[in-house]
Structures are given as structure tokens and as C-alpha cells.
Amino acid sequence: QVQVVESGGGLVQAGGSLRLSCAASGSGFSINAVDWYRQAPGKQRELVAHTTSGGSTNYADSLKGRFTISRDNAKNTVYLQMNSLKPEDTAVYYCNALVRVGVYDYSRWGQGTQVTVSS
């Protein structure tokens, strides 16, 4: 069973930075695409960033230039570097990993990590 765990959230002042991690654990798997989402109170979950197995990336238009997604395949970990944080970035951040086990792909969600940006 492959599990995905996010970490790195916390409280930061506006203008600060955080780096979130999305680590997959288990055996006999590889990570394909990974998405970072966020959900603020009272709002729908929104896609923040996406990376493919080949390392291509895409971002929500409003976040380009401030957020960077990257991956360390040797560690089965994907990162989200968040700079110049704003109070409106406050949300629970989730990662969703498409993992391959054998010839099958499975979607795995983490439990989320809280990011709070104070003004």
C-alpha cells in the first residue's frame, strides 16, 4: 500500500516563504504525475501546481512566479516552494500523487498540511 504524506506547513508572516513536501512511501511503486491543491475555509479545492513524471510543470495562473513545484525521484518526494506568501494563500494544502504499481495507476491523497499566512 502506497501512502502519501504532506509536511512543511505552518504559520508565516506575509512576504515569507515555506517549502511543502509530499513524500510517498511503500514498495514496488513509482510516482508519475503529482498535483498540489489547496482549500481555504468556505472555498472549493483548487489546483495549485502540477508536475509530470518527466518533470514538466504547470501552475495556476495567479500563482506563477511565486510558487515552484519540483521533485526528487530518488526520495519519492515532490516539493512546493512558496515565496512572497500572502494572507490569501492561507489554506490546507494537499498533494495528489498518481502512483504506478506494476501496470496499474492509483491516485493517492495525503492528509493535508495547514499553511497560515498572517498579515
Side-chain angles (χ1 to χ4, degrees):
Q1 183 81 359
V2 179
Q3 293 186 322
V4 171
V5 177
E6 302 98 334
S7 61
L11 175 64
V12 64
Q13 289 188 332
S17 299
L18 282 174
R19 188 178 79 158
L20 306 183
S21 298
C22 171
S25 62
S27 61
F29 73 97
S30 61
I31 300 177
N32 289 336
V34 175
D35 297 323
W36 279 100
Y37 289 82
R38 68 183 183 183
Q39 188 166 20
K43 295 188 177 181
Q44 289 188 331
R45 191 171 295 189
E46 63 173 343
L47 180 64
V48 171
H50 169 82
T51 182
T52 68
S53 58
S56 298
T57 59
N58 281 296
Y59 301 91
D61 287 342
S62 61
L63 300 176
K64 288 180 181 177
R66 293 197 298 123
F67 287 18
T68 303
I69 189 171
S70 62
R71 60 193 297 159
D72 184 336
N73 291 330
K75 295 182 178 180
N76 290 319
T77 300
V78 172
Y79 304 98
L80 184 68
Q81 178 68 42
M82 307 185 295
N83 299 326
S84 302
L85 284 163
K86 305 175 181 180
E88 52 263 42
D89 294 319
T90 295
V92 179
Y93 284 72
Y94 300 89
C95 73
N96 177 246
L98 188 65
V99 300
R100 170 152 291 189
V101 181
V103 297
Y104 298 103
D105 290 331
Y106 300 90
S107 175
R108 290 287 180 264
W109 287 91
Q111 81 290 349
T113 185
Q114 176 71 48
V115 171
T116 304
V117 184
S118 63
S119 58

